[in-house]
Amino acid sequence: MDRRQTTQRTLVLSAVTDQLEHPTAQQVYDKIHEDFPGIGKATVYRNLNLLADEGKLLKIEGIEGPVHFDSTLKTHSHLECKVCNKVIDVDFTIDGEVFENIERTTGFGDLNRNIVISGICPDCLKTVLDGKE
Amino acid sequence: MDRRQTTQRTLVLSAVTDQLEHPTAQQVYDKIHEDFPGIGKATVYRNLNLLADEGKLLKIEGIEGPVHFDSTLKTHSHLECKVCNKVIDVDFTIDGEVFENIERTTGFGDLNRNIVISGICPDCLKTVLDGKE
DNA sequence: GTGCCTGCAAATGTTTTGCAAACCT
DNA sequence: AGGTTTGCAAAACATTTGCAGGCAC
């Protein structure tokens, strides 16, 4: 199954790598739509998944709400704000030995080293403390 | 907002605590439906969320596909099979010091100690290795 | 020219919500 | 009685899929 280089594919990749930070499919769609109104949402979804399969993007799953994408390929984890849904990188990984131990005791394999931890971001913390709303 | 004790509410709680392991809302619904066909799916969803809010159940989020629920309230983590969607407990938590460090450097607060790690369960590993399918 | 890709619309799957009737206390 | 809760259907939301036409190679 050989891949073709289409305008849409290029735009999707560049939106994630050059223009946005941890965007969702919707945000990628909106961004591209500004300059290229003809693009269809299904095309964005298809290309994001395809690029993630090829290893050119990282799919951040395990988040409440829509999936986010990341152009940083190195293993790292993410913090997700449960209030505003923002996602940030955090330079933390679970020790390799711990993973091996989990795999050994549970029989699970192929564990995903990119984990997601949810919490409340600084901005939303402020709001919560202030207005209690 | 005082709560009332209804048949449905009791059935939902008992389905998760006594009858099923890490069920999804659908599985809870199916189970209860066997003996109590009148129950509505919205009622199951409403009660699961309500019981989780009250702290009587744990909502396992950060999973691909439907949310699961857990009757084990103590802090622990979960392994999720990305093939068959099964969820199992794993007696592992990230070191408290690490969490504090993340909170300090990122400004995030209220981090969720119950994390989800996805991988492939023993049964599905077997299938993958065998049939390559 | 072949067949991968696109855009559109419709379908899917999970969860939430509006509403009138029923029920708990 | 009064407010909560229920069941149903419809809505909401994210994502996938079927299909006919278009484009890359």
Side-chain angles (χ1 to χ4, degrees):
Chain A
M1 195 189 287
D2 45 13
R3 300 272 148 77
R4 291 174 188 180
Q5 181 161 348
T6 62
T7 311
Q8 291 87 337
R9 191 108 87 215
T10 308
L11 287 171
V12 168
L13 180 58
S14 118
V16 180
T17 55
D18 305 333
Q19 305 176 58
L20 301 165
E21 216 158 324
H22 299 121
T24 61
Q26 178 69 52
Q27 291 169 330
V28 171
Y29 172 77
D30 289 342
K31 187 69 183 172
I32 297 175
H33 201 261
E34 291 174 9
D35 301 312
F36 192 92
I39 199 163
K41 200 176 282 192
T43 301
V44 173
Y45 275 96
R46 273 187 291 238
N47 281 313
L48 285 170
N49 284 329
L50 206 139
L51 291 162
D53 277 352
E54 288 179 333
K56 295 188 180 138
L57 292 179
L58 189 70
K59 197 171 180 177
I60 313 176
E61 302 178 297
I63 298 219
E64 278 202 81
V67 169
H68 292 238
F69 292 84
D70 196 341
S71 57
T72 304
L73 300 175
K74 139 178 197 302
T75 298
H76 63 295
S77 296
H78 292 99
L79 254 46
E80 169 215 3
C81 177
K82 69 180 88 165
V83 178
C84 71
N85 268 43
K86 186 191 313 169
V87 171
I88 70 163
D89 284 335
V90 57
D91 192 7
F92 155 77
T93 46
I94 298 177
D95 194 52
E97 226 175 88
V98 174
F99 265 99
E100 279 158 35
N101 196 34
I102 294 178
E103 295 190 339
R104 208 174 320 114
T105 53
T106 63
F108 267 61
D110 199 27
L111 293 186
N112 183 8
R113 255 123 179 121
N114 302 313
I115 66 164
V116 175
I117 306 173
S118 79
I120 304 180
C121 76
D123 293 344
C124 290
L125 268 183
K126 218 178 302 164
T127 310
V128 172
L129 292 175
D130 281 4
K132 219 65 185 171
E133 186 265 354
Chain B
M1 193 191 288
D2 45 11
R3 299 273 148 77
R4 291 174 188 181
Q5 181 161 349
T6 62
T7 310
Q8 291 89 335
R9 190 107 86 215
T10 309
L11 287 171
V12 167
L13 181 57
S14 119
V16 180
T17 55
D18 304 333
Q19 305 176 57
L20 301 164
E21 216 158 322
H22 301 121
T24 61
Q26 179 68 52
Q27 291 169 330
V28 171
Y29 171 77
D30 289 343
K31 187 69 184 172
I32 298 176
H33 201 260
E34 292 174 11
D35 301 313
F36 193 92
I39 198 164
K41 200 176 283 193
T43 302
V44 173
Y45 275 96
R46 274 186 291 239
N47 280 314
L48 285 170
N49 283 330
L50 207 141
L51 291 163
D53 277 353
E54 287 179 334
K56 295 189 180 137
L57 292 179
L58 189 69
K59 198 171 180 175
I60 312 175
E61 302 178 297
I63 298 221
E64 278 201 81
V67 170
H68 292 238
F69 291 84
D70 196 342
S71 56
T72 304
L73 300 175
K74 139 178 197 302
T75 298
H76 64 295
S77 296
H78 292 99
L79 255 44
E80 169 214 3
C81 177
K82 68 179 88 166
V83 178
C84 71
N85 269 43
K86 186 191 313 168
V87 171
I88 69 163
D89 284 335
V90 56
D91 192 7
F92 155 77
T93 47
I94 298 177
D95 194 54
E97 226 175 87
V98 173
F99 265 99
E100 279 159 35
N101 196 34
I102 294 178
E103 295 190 338
R104 208 175 319 114
T105 53
T106 63
F108 267 61
D110 199 25
L111 293 186
N112 182 7
R113 257 129 178 113
N114 302 313
I115 66 164
V116 175
I117 306 173
S118 79
I120 304 180
C121 75
D123 294 343
C124 290
L125 267 183
K126 218 178 301 165
T127 310
V128 171
L129 292 176
D130 282 3
K132 220 64 187 173
E133 184 266 356

